[in-house]
Amino acid sequence: MTSTAQGHRSGFACFVGRPNAGKSTLTNALVGSKVAITSSKPQTTRHAIRGIVHRDDAQLVIVDTPGLHRPRTLLGQRLNDIVRETWSEVDVVGFCVPADQKVGPGDRFIAAELTKVAKRTPVIGIVTKTDLVSADQVGEQLLALQEVMEFAELVPVSAVDGFQVATLTDLLVARMPEGPQLYPGGELTDEPETTLVAELIREAALEGVRDELPHSIAVTIEEMVPREGRDDMIDVHALLYVERSSQKGIVLGHRGERLKHVGSTARRQIEVLLGTRVYLDLHVKVAKDWQRDPKQLRRLGF
């Protein structure tokens, strides 16, 4: 079946939910490749990274938004704005609620926001992380979620063991308009590579740091160029920003050991992404209170 054949569907979907509801992991499971970064720390996704699901009969573009939350800083407001803009532009929204956590005020806050778009855009309720609980608990969570708002569909899934991931893909595709492929065959994401590289570094930096850091880390790629005289090596020069000197100490670790570990973890991931050897030059800088400063936010890409 060619991409312009009768009945081919294409369009945009996005997953929303509280921070850490499993949205990025689900995106990766559907796309079948590591596109959105995943971390056990909430608020790790800052860019609407699109993953692309290719099928003979359809092309589904997944926009991965930051978790919606009550904003406390200017960065928080910007993140929420990205979410709402995204909702207004997609064909279907998947509202993710983890199976292992009670439906709470954060979920109701999102549902209230979603009700405003539900007239135009179908919303599918998704209970994620079903591998963590019993079948009875999944059933209870589906009933609890049903109380929150009216959904076009309700579906339990596990990105970890693949439970119902294909079913969810079918439900999303069914809501797409008919149309040709939006992106050529081989692409898995339309994000520029530098954005993905920065996200991989950020993910590596977030793993294992104490809870005060997640919001305070930003990464910029200063330069990404092929090594002179070699076609099998790319030099990546990156800056990791924190808000205070004390945080710089945490990121560096004892005698810089932690930063070395972050660098080698990120480098391996970047090599997989780019399909070539990588030299990663990584430095930590303090940008005082960058989350509250519009000028600094712009410079860091928000």
Side-chain angles (χ1 to χ4, degrees):
M1 192 187 218
T2 64
S3 62
T4 47
Q6 199 82 44
H8 185 278
R9 292 178 180 277
S10 58
F12 295 84
C14 77
F15 294 131
V16 303
R18 278 184 290 155
N20 223 1
K23 303 176 292 288
S24 295
T25 312
L26 194 55
T27 299
N28 292 338
L30 264 73
V31 175
S33 165
K34 187 161 181 170
V35 178
I37 69 162
T38 53
S39 160
S40 54
K41 293 273 174 279
Q43 211 53 62
T44 46
T45 309
R46 290 206 178 142
H47 298 275
I49 292 182
R50 296 159 173 80
I52 302 170
V53 181
H54 299 279
R55 306 202 321 191
D56 288 346
D57 63 336
Q59 189 177 62
L60 175 65
V61 182
I62 301 167
V63 186
D64 186 39
T65 60
L68 189 78
H69 61 298
R70 294 177 190 279
R72 286 192 300 274
T73 61
L74 187 59
L75 173 65
Q77 286 167 4
R78 295 260 167 104
L79 293 173
N80 280 355
D81 291 344
I82 295 173
V83 177
R84 292 198 186 87
E85 269 166 42
T86 304
W87 293 359
S88 60
E89 291 162 7
V90 297
D91 299 293
V92 58
V93 175
F95 179 20
C96 299
V97 173
D100 64 335
Q101 292 168 34
K102 287 231 179 302
V103 173
D107 300 305
R108 291 190 192 92
F109 171 70
I110 293 170
E113 295 285 323
L114 274 174
T115 306
K116 299 169 191 169
V117 299
K119 292 179 194 67
R120 299 188 308 279
T121 312
V123 179
I124 293 177
I126 305 166
V127 171
T128 59
K129 307 187 184 185
T130 59
D131 53 290
L132 299 178
V133 299
S134 69
D136 286 352
Q137 281 168 284
V138 172
E140 282 165 28
Q141 192 71 324
L142 285 165
L143 289 171
L145 190 53
Q146 214 167 354
E147 299 297 305
V148 173
M149 67 177 282
E150 211 165 304
F151 291 102
E153 307 271 359
L154 269 175
V155 60
V157 300
S158 166
V160 172
D161 61 19
F163 173 65
Q164 299 233 101
V165 169
T167 306
L168 173 61
T169 309
D170 289 342
L171 291 174
L172 295 169
V173 164
R175 306 274 163 187
M176 299 290 130
E178 288 199 4
Q181 281 195 4
L182 300 165
Y183 294 90
E187 291 183 19
L188 287 175
T189 173
D190 74 346
E191 279 294 304
E193 281 178 340
T194 49
T195 304
L196 291 173
V197 168
E199 289 285 88
L200 288 171
I201 294 168
R202 217 168 90 77
E203 176 181 34
L206 282 173
E207 273 320 307
V209 293
R210 274 174 282 166
D211 294 341
E212 69 263 30
L213 243 64
H215 300 267
S216 307
I217 292 179
V219 176
T220 58
I221 304 300
E222 301 300 296
E223 195 178 34
M224 197 159 101
V225 290
R227 171 75 57 95
E228 218 167 304
R230 285 179 63 170
D231 54 8
D232 66 338
M233 174 76 90
I234 287 178
D235 290 333
V236 178
H237 298 276
L239 291 175
L240 210 154
Y241 287 92
V242 291
E243 291 195 297
R244 298 190 293 282
S245 316
S246 59
Q247 295 173 336
K248 183 174 179 175
I250 294 170
V251 173
L252 285 170
H254 182 60
R255 294 186 176 170
E257 285 305 313
R258 209 187 121 60
L259 186 66
K260 269 193 210 128
H261 177 69
V262 168
S264 59
T265 305
R267 194 193 73 245
R268 285 196 297 276
Q269 299 270 12
I270 296 165
E271 288 182 338
V272 172
L273 174 76
L274 302 178
T276 179
R277 291 182 61 191
V278 165
Y279 167 77
L280 176 59
D281 175 50
L282 189 55
H283 293 277
V284 185
K285 280 185 87 164
V286 178
K288 203 165 157 28
D289 294 333
W290 64 263
Q291 294 192 59
R292 296 172 193 281
D293 177 348
K295 270 221 295 287
Q296 299 207 68
L297 278 170
R298 274 199 301 281
R299 189 165 51 90
L300 296 173
F302 301 109

